[in-house]
Amino acid sequence: MLTGDEISRSTHAAFALFRGDRRAILDLDVSYDGFWRSFQVIFLLLPVIGVLILSEREFLIRQLPVVEETFPSGAFVVSRLFGAGLDWIAFPIVLALLARPLEIGRRYVPIVVALNWAALVAAVPIVVPHLLVLLGLAGEEFAALLNLVALGVVLRYQYMVVKIAANAQPPLAIGLVALDFMIGVVVSAAVTAFVGI
């Protein structure tokens, strides 16, 4: 299990990467053990994932010709949790296959570790619009605008993380961030198509 000190140190490093501090990568555990431990960050993200699932459920109930009592909430929640888990490991797997052709084999572990910990920081702008809607503090139109802003912030953040962790030139960093984004879109679409909601 992740320790409190590890969470604090790694989250601080991830936030420093957000500010473009290249030295912050040194505060992340990029050892073999640190690599595997960084995947445990998904358990810290479960509350955020829960909010996103609840927000999507409420949106679908308003958009689809169903009432709340007949909405298949169990299947929906399980499918979205499965999708989140699949998305969590999909990019590292694809990147492992591409690392040698892209000549970033030695930087593979720092990239994955940094992105995993960065997900904690990235979760904040992503979850805020959904919380505002669920609490009745923002309408869907305003939340959609906030979602676009949050997406821009997160993509820029991931670009900084990849650029620093991979010691990459901008085209490669942009390409890897775009790949990660597209994998997420494909996974989400596949899970939705499979379950039907």
Side-chain angles (χ1 to χ4, degrees):
M1 291 295 292
L2 297 171
T3 66
D5 179 66
E6 183 177 12
I7 293 170
S8 176
R9 175 175 42 80
S10 301
T11 304
H12 180 78
F15 187 72
L17 288 172
F18 179 80
R19 300 192 313 266
D21 184 354
R22 302 184 70 86
R23 296 169 300 177
I25 199 74
L26 301 175
D27 292 327
L28 294 173
D29 183 355
V30 295
S31 67
Y32 178 81
D33 185 52
F35 171 80
W36 291 111
R37 289 170 65 82
S38 73
F39 284 92
Q40 295 178 37
V41 170
I42 194 170
F43 296 112
L44 302 177
L45 290 169
L46 283 177
V48 171
I49 294 170
V51 169
L52 298 180
I53 291 173
L54 182 59
S55 175
E56 184 183 1
R57 176 184 174 275
E58 295 301 311
F59 176 78
L60 288 174
I61 288 173
R62 287 194 295 270
Q63 298 299 316
L64 296 175
V66 297
V67 294
E68 187 168 358
E69 290 74 18
T70 62
F71 187 83
S73 296
F76 176 77
V77 170
V78 169
S79 69
R80 291 322 189 254
L81 286 173
F82 175 77
L86 185 58
D87 185 39
W88 187 245
I89 62 171
F91 179 69
I93 291 172
V94 173
L95 185 61
L97 299 173
L98 296 176
R100 182 170 291 179
L102 293 175
E103 300 181 352
I104 55 171
R106 284 198 238 176
R107 305 304 300 170
Y108 171 75
V109 169
I111 293 169
V112 173
V113 169
L115 283 174
N116 283 350
W117 282 106
L120 279 178
V121 177
V124 175
I126 291 296
V127 79
V128 166
H130 298 273
L131 272 176
L132 291 177
V133 171
L134 288 174
L135 295 173
L137 300 176
E140 289 182 9
E141 296 81 7
F142 182 60
L145 176 61
L146 289 180
N147 272 325
L148 283 177
V149 172
L151 178 61
V153 169
V154 169
L155 290 176
R156 182 262 180 198
Y157 177 37
Q158 289 179 324
Y159 165 77
M160 292 298 300
V161 169
V162 171
K163 186 171 183 288
I164 292 170
N167 195 25
Q169 294 299 313
L172 177 59
I174 291 171
L176 292 178
V177 170
L179 176 63
D180 189 11
F181 179 78
M182 289 307 301
I183 288 172
V185 170
V186 170
V187 167
S188 177
V191 169
T192 299
F194 181 76
V195 178
I197 47 174

